[in-house]
């Protein structure tokens, strides 16, 4: 069988932009949607795998993420599909994990819950960010995260990949709540400052 | 609320780990605050999306694409059928209290002389009564179930057809292309080998002729020397 676009983890050059594909997919064009799948599935799958570890759940979530995307395609920002999809994936994966473990009481998963808690509510003044550019600065982002202190990195990871909130982290690490908050604030400030200096990030 | 506090909440929201109370505060700020820092929110959201880009990229199983495609077709058909149902419900149903008489003229029910009775009041022949009772008492396959099955089957058939059309058509086209290519290639190879055979034939036949000539020359020489030696032996005798 033919190898899919982007199957090697990199974005294969496709003449159509995300917004063009998104517009066609919104018109029920399944081939355009397939192109978007080929483009984004490696990035999305890697994030899911980082959160859930087991392959079976990761595959199940990947399918669900793309179905939500398809179902609510008109809710996505055409100029910044990358951020929309990554944040959707993260929300969906953490929700799946919380429901699976049953430690947290969550509302019933229904249409409105999905709309307000799983679909990211992107700022109306967000800058465009393309997948190609994000992959170009992959190494730099990795180095920036490595540059954080161990504590900052750990807190960030607990927030981002484990989905814990401030109180949960405070209890887990046995440190005061303001300390948790300040670690996250400093870490995000450092990352944002450094990201602003990257050429590809600025388009 | 001061700007610093707002930004703190933004970060938590963008990273996705804000507690319910803070999220509610932030939501009301988004709606009411004219000076809400939308630009900052956008920046933090982009940053949050960039964090996983440092991960090692893993490719999902290739078969998953087909699974997504199949589910997607099902979903699309579901949406389409829902839309159809909606439009059917929205269309006004034309009702009429009129009947058509034998000559084709419309007459009202009152004029027709018919009395409207409920279904229970209608007297049925004995056979029909029995058959109706047995239907009620026995295990009945509800007509709704049949409809659902047939709709499901139709849906599956359509889905499969769509799937085949879009996926296998591509493969068929590429296979046909490959066949054409290989046919062309084999034709070229055939012509080249034919030319080679012709070339070899002429080359070897030319070589053969020249060898034959050489043999003839040698034979002639041999004949002469043989004659000379026999002459010598005769002279000796």
């Amino acid at each position: 069988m033919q190898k899919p676009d982007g199957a090697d983890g990199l974005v294969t050059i496709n003449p159509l932009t995300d917004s063009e594909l998104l517009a066609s997919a919104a018109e029920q064009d399944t081939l355009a949607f397939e192109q978007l799948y080929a483009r984004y599935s490696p990035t999305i799958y890697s994030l899911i795998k980082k959160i859930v570890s087991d392959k079976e759940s990761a595959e199940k979530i990947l399918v669900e993420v793309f179905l939500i995307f398809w179902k609510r395609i008109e809710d996505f920002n055409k100029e910044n599909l990358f951020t929309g999809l990554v944040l959707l994936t993260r929300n969906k994966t953490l929700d799946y994990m919380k429901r699976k473990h049953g430690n947290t009481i969550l509302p019933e998963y229904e249409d409105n819950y999905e709309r307000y808690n799983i679909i990211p509510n992107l700022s109306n003044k967000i800058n465009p960010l393309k997948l190609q550019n994000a992959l170009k600065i992959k190494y730099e982002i990795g180095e920036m995260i490595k540059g954080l202190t161990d504590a900052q990195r750990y807190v960030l990871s607990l927030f981002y990949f484990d989905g814990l909130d401030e109180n949960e982290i405070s209890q887990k690490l046995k440190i005061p709540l303001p300390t948790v908050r300040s670690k996250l604030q400093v870490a995000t400030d450092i990352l944002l400052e450094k990201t602003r200096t990257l050429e590809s990030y600025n388009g | 609320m001061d700007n610093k506090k707002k930004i703190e909440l933004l970060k938590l929201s963008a990273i996705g780990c804000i507690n319910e109370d803070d999220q509610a505060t932030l939501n009301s700020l988004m709606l009411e605050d004219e000076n809400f820092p939308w630009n900052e929110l956008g920046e933090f959201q982009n940053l949050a999306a960039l964090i996983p880009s440092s991960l090692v990229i893993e490719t999902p199983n290739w078969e998953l694409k087909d699974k997504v495609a199949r589910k997607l077709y099902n979903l699309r058909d579901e949406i389409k059928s829902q839309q159809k149902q909606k439009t059917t419900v929205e269309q006004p149903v034309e009702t009429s209290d009129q009947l058509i008489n034998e000559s084709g003229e419309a007459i009202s029910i009152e004029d027709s002389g018919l009395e409207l009775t409920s279904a229970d009041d209608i007297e049925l022949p004995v056979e029909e009564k029995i058959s109706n009772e047995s239907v009620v008492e026995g295990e009945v396959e509800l007509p709704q179930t049949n409809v659902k099955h047939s709709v499901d089957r139709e849906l599956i058939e359509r889905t499969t057809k769509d799937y085949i059309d879009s996926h296998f058509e591509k493969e068929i086209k590429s296979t046909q292309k490959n066949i054409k290519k290989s046919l062309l290639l084999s034709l070229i190879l055939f012509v080249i080998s034919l030319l080679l055979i012709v070339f070899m034939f002429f080359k070897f036949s030319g070589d053969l002729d020249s060898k034959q000539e050489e043999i003839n020359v040698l034979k002639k020489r041999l004949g002469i020397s043989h004659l000379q030696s026999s002459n010598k032996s005769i002279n000796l005798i």
Side-chain angles (χ1 to χ4, degrees), chain A residues 133-146:
Chain A
N133 290 352
L135 291 177
K136 265 184 205 167
I137 53 174
K138 179 181 162 65
Y139 175 77
E140 286 85 349
I141 297 285
E143 289 300 302
M144 282 177 202
I145 294 170
K146 276 183 198 167

Side-chain angles (χ1 to χ4, degrees), chain A residues 43-55 57-58 61 65 86-98 100-101 156-164, chain B residues 15 17 48 51-52 55 58:
Chain A
T43 306
I44 287 176
Y45 183 68
S46 310
L47 171 58
I48 301 170
K49 267 307 278 298
K50 169 77 181 171
I51 298 172
V52 303
S53 301
D54 81 290
K55 198 182 164 196
S57 299
I61 297 166
V65 164
V86 170
L87 297 185
L88 160 70
T89 306
R90 187 189 159 278
N91 294 348
K92 177 67 193 167
T93 313
L94 289 177
D95 184 79
Y96 176 91
M97 292 307 283
K98 281 176 188 170
K100 194 181 172 188
H101 294 143
L156 186 68
S157 167
L158 287 174
F159 264 118
Y160 198 88
F161 296 114
D162 293 351
L164 303 184
Chain B
I15 299 289
C17 300
I51 291 172
L55 299 172
E58 276 188 67

Side-chain angles (χ1 to χ4, degrees), chain A residues 1-2 4 7 9 28 30 33-34 37 41-42 45-47 49-50 59 62-63 66-67 70 80 82-83 86-87 90 121-127 129 134 137-138 141-142 145 159-160 164-166 181 184-185 188-189 191-192 195-196 201, chain B residues 5 7-9 11-12 14-19 22 27 30 37-62 64-69 71-73 75-76 79-80 166-167 170-171:
Chain A
M1 277 176 116
Q2 204 182 342
Q28 309 276 302
T30 45
F33 193 77
E34 272 186 44
Y37 174 89
S41 59
Y45 183 68
S46 310
L47 171 58
K49 267 307 278 298
K50 169 77 181 171
E59 290 184 344
L62 181 77
V63 174
F66 274 97
L67 285 179
W70 171 253
N80 199 336
F82 170 76
T83 301
V86 170
L87 297 185
R90 187 189 159 278
N121 183 17
L122 292 194
S123 162
N124 49 20
K125 286 186 179 169
I126 196 166
N127 287 331
L129 178 60
I137 53 174
K138 179 181 162 65
I141 297 285
I145 294 170
F159 264 118
Y160 198 88
L164 303 184
D165 66 25
E166 297 169 300
R181 194 169 270 202
L184 181 77
Q185 302 290 338
T188 45
D189 282 343
L191 291 178
L192 188 64
T195 312
R196 278 175 180 156
Y201 173 71
Chain B
K5 177 73 182 164
I7 303 271
E8 269 183 23
L9 292 182
K11 285 178 196 171
L12 288 173
I15 299 289
C17 300
I18 192 165
N19 62 45
D22 286 343
N27 286 347
M30 280 177 177
W38 290 104
N39 285 323
E40 282 81 356
L41 176 65
E43 272 198 303
F44 284 117
Q45 284 174 329
N46 271 347
L47 177 70
L50 277 172
I51 291 172
S53 68
S54 64
L55 299 172
V56 177
I57 300 285
E58 276 188 67
T59 313
N61 192 337
W62 178 212
L64 268 181
K65 190 182 173 185
D66 291 342
K67 202 175 172 183
V68 172
K71 288 205 166 191
L72 208 130
Y73 283 117
L75 192 68
R76 191 184 64 175
I79 293 166
K80 272 185 187 171
S166 68
H167 282 73
K170 267 197 278 177
E171 283 190 22

